[in-house]
């Protein structure tokens, strides 16, 4: 059995639920048998290694630990995992990757080796481990969230008709997957034009029409001029809404938004758009590690123009909308020559019903 692959499957269960901590999976093996498994619990609760060791109990002694990230060796909300590994009597540790967190990087390995524990750092499934924690890795090294742009387009590249109608371009299977994306992200971002056109809730729901869950991503509405209607569903429970305003919005409007329950963030603005790099820094300061940008074209265009997108997920539906005035997914300045176009790498293609999803990472 591929024990590291099993640890990775456990780690995926924690993605989006344990920020700002990494999503880690751990498996304890003794005499060829899995005796303990675990994955990271929400902040303040046990890490993956502790969960697996507690399940293994005395069977952990002399066993091998497979873990997707270097075990922590510092006191945070919980004690160091390295201490628990040593105390449990683990004889060997396999890890998929080293933790770039300066508090851990290499120190976890050193602490275990000093106690005579064999370290088999072979980078087992390292690429998969990095993808599971792509948001954490960016956040812990830059202080900024990992930003994914998501949109659905017709075959001719439109996101809405010339009248603004956009429901629904993509099919039910694609919509279900979008809710999985929302479940694994810390914040969902949309521009005011999307709110005006669609009045979205921007919540995670269990299935397209299913119920909500307790943990909801932060809803970030970028609204330079304060045009969001007070009746907008993004202000409703469950979850919290952060309304990002330019510095010219009146005190009366800000008071009305606050009374509606929105948290307000005022940022410098220019040409009708708030300072987006400052917005990402502000989100990083509140330990938001991942952001899913769901549109519309003006916001996405500005995000791409500013080089703020890390990953792109596009659903292409087999429909033709047409119309010179129909809306496109990415507005902004764009590029002047094809040679300057932003190109993706590590591209993947999947099918959801009749839709095709293309995803990839922005090449830096």
């Amino acid at each position: 059995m591929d024990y590291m692959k099993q640890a990775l499957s456990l780690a995926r269960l924690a993605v989006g639920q344990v920020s700002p901590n990494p999503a880690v999976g751990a498996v304890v093996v003794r005499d060829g048998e899995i005796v303990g498994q675990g994955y990271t619990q929400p902040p303040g609760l046990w890490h993956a290694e502790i969960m697996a060791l507690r399940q293994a109990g005395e069977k952990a002694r002399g066993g091998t630990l497979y873990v997707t990230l270097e075990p922590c060796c510092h006191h945070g909300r919980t004690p160091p995992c390295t201490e628990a590994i040593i105390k449990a009597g683990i004889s060997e540790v396999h890890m998929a990757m080293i933790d770039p967190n300066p508090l851990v990087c290499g120190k976890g390995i050193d602490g275990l080796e000093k106690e005579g524990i064999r370290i088999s750092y072979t980078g087992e499934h390292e690429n998969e481990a990095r993808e599971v924690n792509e948001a954490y890795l960016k956040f812990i090294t830059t202080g900024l969230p990992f930003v994914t742009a998501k949109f659905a387009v017709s075959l001719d590249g439109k996101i809405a008709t010339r009248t603004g109608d956009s429901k629904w371009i993509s099919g039910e299977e694609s919509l279900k997957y979008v809710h999985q994306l929302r479940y694994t992200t810390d914040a969902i971002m949309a521009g005011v034009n999307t709110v005006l056109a669609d009045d979205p809730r921007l919540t995670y729901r269990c299935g397209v029409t299913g119920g909500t869950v307790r943990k909801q991503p932060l809803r970030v509405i970028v609204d330079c001029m304060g045009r969001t209607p007070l009746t907008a569903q993004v202000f409703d429970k469950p979850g919290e809404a952060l309304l990002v305003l330019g510095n010219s919005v009146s005190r009366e409007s800000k008071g009305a938004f606050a009374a509606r329950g929105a948290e307000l963030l005022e940022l410098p603005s220019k040409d009708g758009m708030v300072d987006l790099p400052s917005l990402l820094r502000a989100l990083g300061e509140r330990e938001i590690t991942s952001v899913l940008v769901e549109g519309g074209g003006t916001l996405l265009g500005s995000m791409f123009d500013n080089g703020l997108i890390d990953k792109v997920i596009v659903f292409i539906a087999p429909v033709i909308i047409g119309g010179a005035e129909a809306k496109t997914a990415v507005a902004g300045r764009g590029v002047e020559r094809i040679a300057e176009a932003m190109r993706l790498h590590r591209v993947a293609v999947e099918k959801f019903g009749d839709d095709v999803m293309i995803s990839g990472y922005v090449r830096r």
Side-chain angles (χ1 to χ4, degrees), residues 19 137 162 209 237 286 323 331:
S19 298
L137 296 177
R162 57 185 171 79
T209 60
K237 300 293 182 181
R286 60 188 295 163

Side-chain angles (χ1 to χ4, degrees), residues 81-97:
C81 288
T82 51
E83 287 185 2
I85 293 169
I86 294 166
K87 185 176 180 180
I90 290 290
S91 62
E92 184 174 357
V93 175
H94 292 240
M95 61 186 71
M97 62 174 293

Side-chain angles (χ1 to χ4, degrees), residues 124-154:
E124 297 175 61
H125 297 291
E126 181 174 359
N127 288 337
E128 293 106 305
R130 296 187 71 86
E131 185 172 342
V132 167
N133 273 313
E134 58 193 11
Y136 167 78
L137 296 177
K138 182 184 178 185
F139 174 75
I140 205 66
T141 54
T142 68
L144 297 173
F146 185 90
V147 182
T148 300
K150 186 278 298 179
F151 50 91
V153 297
S154 62

